[in-house]
Amino acid sequence: MDQKPQAVAEDPAKLAEFQARIDRGESIEPKDWMPERYRRQLTRMMSQHAHSEVVGMLPEGNWITRAPSLRRKMSLIAKVQDEAGHGLYIYCGAETLGVDRADLIDQLLDGRAKYSSIFNYPTLSWADMGVIGWLVDGAAIVNQTVLAKASYGPYARAMIRICKEENFHKRQGYEIVATLANGTPAQKAMVQDAVNRWWWPSLMMFGPSDTDSPNSAELLRWKVKHKTNDELRQRFVNLTVPQAAAVDLTLPDPDLRYDEATKNWEFGAIDWAEFHEVIRGNGPCNRERLEARRAAHENGRWVRDAAAAYAAKHGAASATNAA
Ligand SMILES: [Fe+2]
Ligand SMILES: [Fe+2]
């Protein structure tokens, strides 16, 4: 997505008017003038986000056949299906920036595009389905609630709908966690183990610390973001610590302590070396996830071909997604 030169000379008057619109809290719409850099940043963010929704189906899809009851199976299927829908809304939103969804998907499949590091961790037990809903969807809500106020209209509107569904995901996850935490000693141990494995990767979902986040200042100035990575991470920790206590689970951080002065739960150091390794493609499941997506893309080719043939036969003008 970065085929264009990095530095585009923008008209200073247009740039000033654009910033003034942002500062007035106006929403930027697809046909409005926008700096090339804004378009590129939004394209990067929205495509990474869409890829994350779609790749995010894999760790949980892994457990659909093994869900312990029909009720659990139905809600897990519904949740995974919702994530496909989230991917679709956001790909559609990204297309309003003038990119083609097929190109974005190619970038995911050939490894040029990134997606959230969290989905490169394995789901080892049924308890992971609960903990992912609680922590991973919970972290996504914290992020996405703020993105629902992003300056780019199509992104913000997609987030409003997505957040409603994420709330359902978080509740169904927390209910699984609470059930196991109040279950047999073996169930309690299983859910505690899942929390121990997912806690730190969940904190990494907010991205690098502010001091190490090259895009943050610009995204804040353009009101694509309204809060920094560290502010959002702190909010997530503050929300989650009491939820863990309520079901008598511990979080795997000996440095966790409440600071009366700031009203924040202080937490220990994040292992950024691990984060960067996962982003570089060396997480526990990076290879497996991309292979699964590539196979799904190949196996779905006949559907895209059939849709394109149908559209051509019926004279529809847009059969562009057939690639
Ligand atoms: Fe989602
Ligand atoms: Fe979700």
Side-chain angles (χ1 to χ4, degrees), residues 84-154:
H86 297 174
L88 191 61
Y89 309 150
I90 306 171
Y91 281 128
C92 290
E95 284 192 310
T96 67
L97 291 160
V99 289
D100 191 322
R101 188 166 92 198
D103 291 338
L104 299 180
I105 290 171
D106 281 346
Q107 288 164 5
L108 169 68
L109 298 181
D110 70 19
R112 275 176 293 157
K114 303 226 181 304
Y115 56 86
S116 178
S117 57
I118 193 82
F119 301 118
N120 292 309
Y121 290 85
T123 43
L124 303 179
S125 73
W126 168 253
D128 288 25
M129 298 306 98
V131 171
I132 287 179
W134 173 34
L135 297 182
V136 176
D137 293 84
I141 292 170
V142 169
N143 236 330
Q144 293 173 172
T145 306
V146 183
L147 283 172
K149 293 181 226 139
S151 55
Y152 189 55

Side-chain angles (χ1 to χ4, degrees), residues 79 83 137 166 169:
K79 193 228 181 202
E83 305 301 3
D137 293 84
E166 297 298 2
H169 300 168

Side-chain angles (χ1 to χ4, degrees), residues 58-302:
L58 296 170
E60 289 172 290
N62 181 33
W63 276 90
I64 289 174
T65 55
R66 291 175 287 169
S69 69
L70 182 60
R71 175 173 172 260
R72 294 298 190 203
K73 195 187 292 278
M74 281 162 53
S75 56
L76 186 59
I77 289 173
K79 193 228 181 202
V80 171
Q81 196 173 333
D82 283 353
E83 305 301 3
H86 297 174
L88 191 61
Y89 309 150
I90 306 171
Y91 281 128
C92 290
E95 284 192 310
T96 67
L97 291 160
V99 289
D100 191 322
R101 188 166 92 198
D103 291 338
L104 299 180
I105 290 171
D106 281 346
Q107 288 164 5
L108 169 68
L109 298 181
D110 70 19
R112 275 176 293 157
K114 303 226 181 304
Y115 56 86
S116 178
S117 57
I118 193 82
F119 301 118
N120 292 309
Y121 290 85
T123 43
L124 303 179
S125 73
W126 168 253
D128 288 25
M129 298 306 98
V131 171
I132 287 179
W134 173 34
L135 297 182
V136 176
D137 293 84
I141 292 170
V142 169
N143 236 330
Q144 293 173 172
T145 306
V146 183
L147 283 172
K149 293 181 226 139
S151 55
Y152 189 55
Y155 199 17
R157 288 189 289 273
M159 286 305 114
I160 290 169
R161 178 162 173 183
I162 288 174
C163 279
K164 289 187 181 148
E165 294 178 349
E166 297 298 2
N167 269 306
F168 163 74
H169 300 168
K170 184 182 171 182
R171 278 156 200 247
Q172 71 102 26
Y174 192 65
E175 196 228 339
I176 293 171
V177 167
T179 304
L180 293 172
N182 287 303
T184 64
Q187 287 174 322
K188 174 114 196 240
M190 179 170 73
V191 71
Q192 182 64 62
D193 170 68
V195 171
N196 294 349
R197 284 182 288 107
W198 289 96
W199 173 248
W200 290 106
S202 300
L203 295 194
M204 293 175 196
M205 282 176 70
F206 295 93
S209 194
D210 297 341
T211 50
D212 191 25
S213 178
N215 295 313
S216 268
E218 185 176 63
L219 295 174
L220 287 164
R221 179 159 47 83
W222 280 333
K223 296 192 181 168
V224 176
K225 286 178 142 191
H226 287 262
K227 300 243 186 265
T228 69
N229 294 353
D230 286 333
E231 285 169 335
L232 293 171
R233 188 168 11 246
Q234 185 64 63
R235 176 167 167 70
F236 172 71
V237 173
N238 290 351
L239 287 169
T240 308
V241 172
Q243 291 165 0
V247 288
D248 194 27
L249 290 169
T250 57
L251 297 170
D253 180 356
D255 296 327
L256 207 56
R257 61 167 195 93
Y258 190 67
D259 184 329
E260 271 298 339
T262 62
K263 308 274 183 232
N264 283 327
W265 281 92
E266 304 276 336
F267 50 94
I270 292 172
D271 182 356
W272 291 114
E274 176 182 320
F275 173 78
H276 289 297
E277 270 306 292
V278 177
I279 292 288
R280 266 196 290 272
N282 301 322
C285 298
N286 293 59
R287 206 153 298 141
E288 186 184 327
R289 300 293 183 236
L290 275 187
E291 273 165 19
R293 283 314 315 160
R294 286 187 193 119
H297 192 69
E298 242 352 274
N299 292 337
R301 184 175 298 281
W302 70 272

